[in-house]
Amino acid sequence: MNRVLITGSLGQIGSELCTFLRQYLGSDNVLATDIRKIESHPVCTNGNFKILDVLDGDNFEKIVEEFKPDTLIHLAALLSATAEKNPQFAWKLNIDGLFTALEISKKYNLKFFIPSSIAAFGDNTPKIDTPQDTIQRPSSMYGITKVSGELLCDYYHTKYGVDTRSLRLPGIISYDTLPGGGTTDYAVEIFYDALSKGLYKCYIDENSSMDMMYMPDTIKAIVQLLEAPSENLKHRNAYNVSAMSFTPKQIAQSIKKHLPNFEIVYEVDPIRQNIANSWPDSINSDCAKNEWGFSADYKLDEMVEDMLAKLKEKGIGC
Ligand code: SER
């Protein structure tokens, strides 16, 4: 990985991955793209940036021809809750966009990364210590696009030799860019409301457990997977990865250690709760550890301490 094009780079993962890769590879070797431009955003001002709608295959190809990347990191997608509100468009963006990105990767011989998700599992999946290889059959449209994406990436690898790689990411917690339209977003929102209001109204039931990972571990995992020797990757699309698994009640307890007056109340949103119920409680990441050395540094309490400190530095709650 020497020269990278990122789609969806103004999103939660894209914005931080872009900043990291500009430092890691040199700013000239990263091209950030997104469907919109935010004039003052560091992703748009601190390096190469182009507007790209991934459904516009001609423009996508033109940008690749001009920039000549060796790696494509494809992050443009709808997340689970938004996808459930507009399933037709979710299928179009998440699948047609992926298909276009894979065709371009095949034509220009690009290494390819796309995130899959814990959403690629479903009601019949074993909930605890969910194995790498198991029943998937997701019920949300987002999950359906993710499992289809895993299969499509395997197809392009075995049929055309495209170097496709993917992670089944859990909920990602970060302090830079807010997530948009996911089921796990509560685990980020809770920090902002804890600091600014002392109260968080949670849309997920207090005892629903889901996998999560802090952003520094997520960036580390993506880069490590992209740099792993190809011949080591037996489960390339896609690896289970998780750093922690907790319920809203457990994260609230961890926040209370720093903010004793913080309160959480529950107003469950049936759409997002249904999605959460269909996902695993905790997934097993051993395969990623064994094939390319995945490891995560942050567990719940370390992540909470760091999130609160970083958000206070940003002036949240002051
Ligand atoms: N964070 C994502 C979501 O909630 C899971 O992949 O949609």
Side-chain angles (χ1 to χ4, degrees):
M1 172 175 61
N2 294 308
R3 200 166 160 82
V4 178
L5 189 151
I6 308 173
T7 69
S9 59
L10 285 169
Q12 185 196 16
I13 297 176
S15 57
E16 291 200 42
L17 187 60
C18 178
T19 303
F20 174 84
L21 289 176
R22 280 175 176 164
Q23 280 165 6
Y24 188 61
L25 301 173
S27 203
D28 287 351
N29 290 318
V30 178
L31 175 58
T33 70
D34 203 286
I35 195 162
R36 68 212 153 113
K37 184 171 187 180
I38 303 175
E39 292 295 341
S40 57
H41 198 290
V43 164
C44 305
T45 56
N46 292 352
N48 301 311
F49 178 85
K50 271 196 191 305
I51 290 186
L52 170 61
D53 174 355
V54 296
L55 296 174
D56 179 351
D58 291 342
N59 192 35
F60 202 158
E61 195 167 336
K62 191 169 147 252
I63 286 175
V64 166
E65 260 180 21
E66 279 169 13
F67 185 67
K68 302 193 180 7
D70 63 16
T71 302
L72 173 54
I73 298 181
H74 183 55
L75 304 177
L78 286 198
L79 287 187
S80 58
T82 316
E84 222 39 47
K85 287 188 196 139
N86 195 347
Q88 289 85 358
F89 181 64
W91 176 267
K92 193 170 169 58
L93 178 61
N94 293 11
I95 295 297
D96 291 357
L98 169 59
F99 214 91
T100 305
L102 284 169
E103 274 296 307
I104 289 174
S105 299
K106 179 176 97 179
K107 185 164 172 187
Y108 294 93
N109 196 21
L110 308 181
K111 186 182 276 192
F112 183 81
F113 175 83
I114 182 170
S116 183
S117 164
I118 49 170
F121 295 114
D123 290 310
N124 299 326
T125 302
K127 290 250 178 259
I128 315 269
D129 205 27
T130 306
Q132 172 69 35
D133 294 313
T134 186
I135 298 168
Q136 296 196 237
R137 302 198 68 80
S139 49
S140 70
M141 177 49 83
Y142 178 64
I144 292 168
T145 67
K146 285 298 167 190
V147 85
S148 308
E150 290 185 4
L151 297 172
L152 209 52
C153 287
D154 268 346
Y155 185 84
Y156 271 73
H157 176 65
T158 47
K159 189 157 172 116
Y160 304 119
V162 180
D163 189 353
T164 52
R165 304 173 180 211
S166 177
L167 299 172
R168 289 183 187 134
L169 292 178
I172 307 301
I173 299 163
S174 65
Y175 51 83
D176 192 359
T177 306
L178 284 165
T183 300
T184 54
D185 295 9
Y186 89 84
V188 180
E189 290 170 5
I190 193 170
F191 288 99
Y192 285 82
D193 284 7
L195 285 167
S196 57
K197 302 181 198 157
L199 173 73
Y200 180 60
K201 250 187 232 168
C202 186
Y203 58 81
I204 293 290
D205 177 77
E206 61 181 330
N207 294 316
S208 288
S209 181
M210 286 185 273
D211 285 285
M212 303 279 174
M213 187 146 72
Y214 199 29
M215 186 61 90
D217 284 329
T218 310
I219 304 283
K220 185 172 86 165
I222 293 172
V223 172
Q224 236 180 321
L225 174 63
L226 277 166
E227 291 187 333
S230 185
E231 62 275 14
N232 293 2
L233 307 179
K234 307 282 176 272
H235 293 82
R236 47 179 65 240
N237 302 295
Y239 290 95
N240 286 6
V241 283
S242 173
M244 58 192 108
S245 163
F246 57 74
T247 63
K249 195 170 166 181
Q250 287 167 330
I251 189 175
Q253 277 161 355
S254 183
I255 292 173
K256 261 175 175 286
K257 290 181 196 164
H258 303 267
L259 303 171
N261 295 329
F262 170 58
E263 300 249 350
I264 184 165
V265 292
Y266 297 90
E267 257 179 38
V268 170
D269 164 23
I271 295 179
R272 285 178 286 185
Q273 186 62 48
N274 267 341
I275 296 174
N277 291 347
S278 73
W279 292 356
D281 292 353
S282 63
I283 62 173
N284 180 302
S285 315
D286 284 352
C287 184
K289 288 178 192 154
N290 296 337
E291 291 188 20
W292 50 274
F294 167 71
S295 71
D297 297 322
Y298 290 87
K299 294 280 181 209
L300 175 59
D301 285 339
E302 293 95 70
M303 176 277 288
V304 166
E305 192 179 337
D306 201 59
M307 271 296 280
L308 289 170
K310 293 291 183 347
L311 288 176
K312 277 186 200 157
E313 273 169 31
K314 278 178 74 176
I316 306 295
C318 298

